[in-house]
Amino acid sequence: MQFSEHSRVWIYQSDKELTDEQASGLHDLLNKFAAEWTAHNHQLKAKTEVRYNRFLILIVDESQAGASGCSIDKSVNFMKRLEQEFGINLFDRFNFAYREGNEVLSAPRHQFEELLKSGKINTNTIVFNNLVQDLSQLQTKWEVPFKDSWHVQLFGDLVTG
């Protein structure tokens, strides 16, 4: 299936790295959800991904049917059930993901601030912008250097280098 670059995107970040087994199980459940996801009794053209054993991504191409408030509520409730089933937190917006070499790590806000102050995270560190809105942004603005992300507005004064 081809998806428009304007397809809507929702990114849910796990508070911890998933095992390969968990990621596989989540991927199966996400695919089943996407196949059954509707808005006002219209099938949504949706697909899902699990990236880096940490991010659950929902993508909806609204060219055939748009995601409504009710359908978005369904997805949020589904994600809350996944949290319970897998013992993860997908809704902590103060848990920030970044790259250290090839590894994707995350840290709560206070720890992220300490990493900035110590220089372990710097202006060139890749951070994840989970606020991207569409497939085009997911491809170009999701994994960006700290200096090019929204993070710099919030934490810029803490950067040492």
Side-chain angles (χ1 to χ4, degrees):
M1 265 194 300
Q2 289 290 94
F3 279 70
S4 160
E5 67 179 14
H6 302 292
S7 297
R8 285 180 73 181
V9 170
W10 292 269
I11 299 172
Y12 294 88
Q13 175 186 309
S14 174
D15 60 333
K16 57 189 172 192
E17 184 177 13
L18 304 164
T19 65
D20 289 342
E21 184 178 300
Q22 287 174 315
S24 177
L26 281 162
H27 190 254
D28 292 345
L29 291 170
L30 286 164
N31 282 341
K32 184 177 187 308
F33 174 79
E36 298 170 356
W37 197 9
T38 60
H40 302 293
N41 296 320
H42 290 93
Q43 179 66 42
L44 292 174
K45 182 179 177 183
K47 66 179 180 177
T48 63
E49 297 179 29
V50 176
R51 287 197 191 173
Y52 308 125
N53 283 14
R54 188 175 292 271
F55 302 96
L56 311 183
I57 303 172
L58 299 177
I59 302 167
V60 173
D61 187 332
E62 296 185 300
S63 59
Q64 73 181 38
S68 64
C70 291
S71 65
I72 294 168
D73 286 349
K74 287 179 196 173
S75 70
V76 169
N77 289 329
F78 173 71
M79 290 298 180
K80 288 181 178 178
R81 286 194 306 273
L82 292 180
E83 279 187 318
Q84 296 296 314
E85 188 174 334
F86 287 85
I88 56 177
N89 185 336
L90 298 171
F91 291 91
D92 183 354
R93 299 294 179 224
F94 292 104
N95 189 25
F96 301 99
Y98 62 98
R99 281 193 176 277
E100 190 173 277
N102 290 328
E103 198 173 1
V104 175
L105 303 171
S106 69
R109 182 180 178 143
H110 68 279
Q111 185 182 354
F112 192 79
E113 289 174 347
E114 290 303 317
L115 292 165
L116 284 162
K117 289 176 189 173
S118 71
K120 289 190 166 114
I121 294 177
N122 60 50
T123 57
N124 294 314
T125 300
I126 299 298
V127 293
F128 291 83
N129 174 13
N130 295 332
L131 303 176
V132 297
Q133 299 289 308
D134 62 34
L135 197 52
S136 173
Q137 289 179 355
L138 178 65
Q139 294 162 346
T140 61
K141 296 183 177 169
W142 181 47
E143 295 183 56
V144 294
F146 179 89
K147 65 183 177 211
D148 298 331
S149 75
W150 65 264
H151 298 73
V152 76
Q153 294 171 339
L154 189 59
F155 301 112
D157 59 329
L158 301 177
V159 179
T160 59

